Amino acid sequence: AMDFNYFPNPATNELHIVASEAIEEVVVRNQQGQRVFGMKGTGAVAAAEVDDLPAGVYYLEVKTARGTKVRLFVKQ
């Protein structure tokens, strides 16, 4: 199954994502489920710019050809 790691958590300006396969899309959603960040993947590694997001807890969605996984992260 597809899996991914991400760091740092809590994040301040950039969230680095390393997946077990090529990333198609990265989406960050707030606690209301609204999309607040999105980017297309460029391989199995991505960097999401989160410096503009207000502090709080967010959902990190990583989509690949084999599905989507969601994890929580904290923006400081």
Side-chain angles (χ1 to χ4, degrees):
M2 187 275 280
D3 203 3
F4 69 91
N5 291 314
Y6 58 106
F7 59 91
N9 186 24
T12 50
N13 53 1
E14 213 171 41
L15 193 60
H16 296 273
I17 302 149
V18 181
S20 58
E21 59 196 70
I23 298 167
E24 290 183 349
E25 190 179 17
V26 174
V27 174
V28 174
R29 295 186 190 276
N30 62 19
Q31 288 186 302
Q32 289 71 46
Q34 297 164 309
R35 180 187 175 117
V36 294
F37 175 87
M39 64 181 282
K40 294 292 178 202
T42 55
V45 176
E49 300 282 342
V50 296
D51 46 343
D52 292 342
L53 297 179
V57 177
Y58 292 87
Y59 296 99
L60 175 65
E61 287 180 18
V62 175
K63 300 178 184 181
T64 73
R66 300 200 315 171
T68 302
K69 269 232 163 107
V70 182
R71 300 271 169 76
L72 288 173
F73 78 94
V74 174
K75 165 65 167 66
Q76 280 189 332

